[in-house]
Amino acid sequence: MSSIPQTISSPKDDFPIKVILVEDEDFVVVNFLKKFGQKLHIKVLNNADECLEFVKNTYPPDAIIIARNLGGLKFLETIRKDNWTKSLPVILTSDHVTPGLIKEVIEKKGDDIYPKDFSNGDLVTRLEYFIKRRHYVASQQTKSNILEVKIPFWKRFIDVASTGFALLLLSPLLIVISILIKLDSKGPIVYKSKRVGAGYKIFEIYKFRTMRTDADQLIKNMESLNMYTKGATEKKKDGLCDECAIIGACQQKLYLDGEETCEKIYLNKKKEKVAFMKFQNDPRITKLGRFLRNSSIDELPQLFNIFLGDMSLIGNRPLPLYEAEKLTTDDYIERFAGPGGLTGLWQVTKRGKGKKDMTEQERIELDIEYARNFSFKYDLKIFFMTFPALLQSENV
């Protein structure tokens, strides 16, 4: 479709290309999985709205492939309006690819268009190019936006003095909680998570552990207890449908989400419309962990982060790596020019003005405002606004 070069080096085998296929026709999905399942990590969704929600709440894929008849052009317009997803590769598919449709896709900044059977063009090579292009752009942006954040002496002094005193005062409580966590369940006392703070510095943020260490395995085991999937699970034996189980080998292999499955099992699950499991009382959370979360006591170990200089009492909340990777453009990089903090401007603004659904865009704008204007007086104001905010219905 475009004049962009097609030949590049292949990605590493241990980092498969991740794509979302938005398609509701079973035979199209099955043919796609048969053709590309061993080469790509594929997530199948049924409609554009589901895809938008998935991209919003999870780590973005390397590309989205969406059918034109499922609102592909409108989806393209929507995805290009958001700064976080405007560069996300989007490929449209259509039963008939015409010059007029190609022109329309180009005008709406689509990355490519293929027939639904992918009979023309090399999709994998095209996807490999998208990955290399993304890495190049990200590296150039990061190089041009390297930040040196200097924490003022007054701010560092307040952080060290206040957290040092708090840790000394709270040490009996911290010791008791540590003992209770050990008695409550097996595993480490403190949970560590990578975060990105001021100047794009990556550090480990500390929290008291509130979940079982075998949480991921527990969820897999719980699937068999789900009343909606129990029937389908019982039909499955060693990843085979009933017919293939008699032979002892799958005759209709598909590769979905990086795992081998049987075509019949996939189609049966799709008909049952069970895509996600939600648990009102998540059994992965320990009894003590639920109390620690509800009371925000699980956050207390972050006082050590502040004392060590990883973050500050007041500042922009350090972000998980997958969120920070979205904010390397000129429009957003400035939010990392301010100190990272335990509480900050957007938290108290949301509660103080009763904003239940603050958008991510609004939050970033407030982070940038703080980075530009933070001062002793400003920090003092936010500090005292935090206490009434804690009394609101939502946790800061």
Side-chain angles (χ1 to χ4, degrees), residues 10 28 48 135 146 160 163 180 264 367:
S10 299
V28 175
H135 289 172
I146 295 176
V160 172
T163 55
L180 290 176
K264 285 192 175 183
D367 286 344

mmCIF file of all heavy atoms in Angstrom, residues 10 28 48 135 146 160 163 180 264 367:
data_model
loop_
_atom_site.group_PDB
_atom_site.id
_atom_site.type_symbol
_atom_site.label_atom_id
_atom_site.label_comp_id
_atom_site.label_asym_id
_atom_site.label_seq_id
_atom_site.Cartn_x
_atom_site.Cartn_y
_atom_site.Cartn_z
ATOM 1 N N SER A 10 14.506 -10.148 11.007
ATOM 2 C CA SER A 10 13.405 -10.768 11.739
ATOM 3 C C SER A 10 13.545 -10.520 13.231
ATOM 4 O O SER A 10 14.644 -10.392 13.742
ATOM 5 C CB SER A 10 13.388 -12.280 11.489
ATOM 6 O OG SER A 10 13.191 -12.543 10.123
ATOM 7 N N VAL A 28 -12.883 -17.337 8.803
ATOM 8 C CA VAL A 28 -11.781 -16.398 8.589
ATOM 9 C C VAL A 28 -10.777 -16.509 9.734
ATOM 10 O O VAL A 28 -9.566 -16.545 9.520
ATOM 11 C CB VAL A 28 -12.308 -14.948 8.472
ATOM 12 C CG1 VAL A 28 -11.134 -13.966 8.385
ATOM 13 C CG2 VAL A 28 -13.196 -14.797 7.252
ATOM 14 N N ALA A 48 -14.980 -4.110 17.429
ATOM 15 C CA ALA A 48 -14.087 -2.970 17.592
ATOM 16 C C ALA A 48 -14.123 -2.407 19.003
ATOM 17 O O ALA A 48 -13.087 -2.023 19.556
ATOM 18 C CB ALA A 48 -14.452 -1.874 16.589
ATOM 19 N N HIS A 135 10.678 0.644 17.438
ATOM 20 C CA HIS A 135 11.887 0.698 18.259
ATOM 21 C C HIS A 135 12.779 1.877 17.871
ATOM 22 O O HIS A 135 13.364 2.542 18.725
ATOM 23 C CB HIS A 135 12.674 -0.609 18.127
ATOM 24 C CG HIS A 135 12.011 -1.765 18.803
ATOM 25 N ND1 HIS A 135 12.451 -3.054 18.679
ATOM 26 C CD2 HIS A 135 10.927 -1.830 19.618
ATOM 27 C CE1 HIS A 135 11.677 -3.866 19.379
ATOM 28 N NE2 HIS A 135 10.744 -3.134 19.957
ATOM 29 N N ILE A 146 16.108 13.148 27.132
ATOM 30 C CA ILE A 146 16.769 12.737 28.371
ATOM 31 C C ILE A 146 16.615 13.847 29.412
ATOM 32 O O ILE A 146 16.896 15.013 29.142
ATOM 33 C CB ILE A 146 18.257 12.435 28.126
ATOM 34 C CG1 ILE A 146 18.392 11.218 27.198
ATOM 35 C CG2 ILE A 146 18.981 12.186 29.440
ATOM 36 C CD1 ILE A 146 19.812 10.897 26.815
ATOM 37 N N VAL A 160 13.652 13.152 53.984
ATOM 38 C CA VAL A 160 14.489 12.336 54.877
ATOM 39 C C VAL A 160 14.041 12.489 56.333
ATOM 40 O O VAL A 160 13.906 11.493 57.066
ATOM 41 C CB VAL A 160 15.979 12.714 54.735
ATOM 42 C CG1 VAL A 160 16.820 12.005 55.792
ATOM 43 C CG2 VAL A 160 16.484 12.360 53.339
ATOM 44 N N THR A 163 10.216 10.967 56.773
ATOM 45 C CA THR A 163 10.127 9.506 56.662
ATOM 46 C C THR A 163 11.007 8.814 57.707
ATOM 47 O O THR A 163 10.662 7.742 58.206
ATOM 48 C CB THR A 163 10.523 9.024 55.252
ATOM 49 O OG1 THR A 163 11.824 9.521 54.917
ATOM 50 C CG2 THR A 163 9.519 9.498 54.226
ATOM 51 N N LEU A 180 2.856 -11.066 60.945
ATOM 52 C CA LEU A 180 1.517 -11.557 60.581
ATOM 53 C C LEU A 180 1.478 -12.052 59.133
ATOM 54 O O LEU A 180 0.808 -13.050 58.826
ATOM 55 C CB LEU A 180 0.482 -10.448 60.792
ATOM 56 C CG LEU A 180 0.183 -10.056 62.240
ATOM 57 C CD1 LEU A 180 -0.775 -8.874 62.290
ATOM 58 C CD2 LEU A 180 -0.390 -11.245 63.008
ATOM 59 N N LYS A 264 -11.782 -27.544 17.002
ATOM 60 C CA LYS A 264 -13.120 -27.792 17.531
ATOM 61 C C LYS A 264 -13.279 -27.220 18.936
ATOM 62 O O LYS A 264 -14.321 -26.658 19.279
ATOM 63 C CB LYS A 264 -13.421 -29.293 17.537
ATOM 64 C CG LYS A 264 -13.722 -29.859 16.152
ATOM 65 C CD LYS A 264 -14.292 -31.262 16.255
ATOM 66 C CE LYS A 264 -14.708 -31.761 14.871
ATOM 67 N NZ LYS A 264 -15.333 -33.099 14.933
ATOM 68 N N ASP A 367 -0.012 16.317 36.065
ATOM 69 C CA ASP A 367 1.373 15.942 36.368
ATOM 70 C C ASP A 367 2.347 16.945 35.755
ATOM 71 O O ASP A 367 3.336 17.340 36.382
ATOM 72 C CB ASP A 367 1.673 14.544 35.819
ATOM 73 C CG ASP A 367 1.031 13.448 36.652
ATOM 74 O OD1 ASP A 367 0.628 13.743 37.794
ATOM 75 O OD2 ASP A 367 0.943 12.310 36.167
#
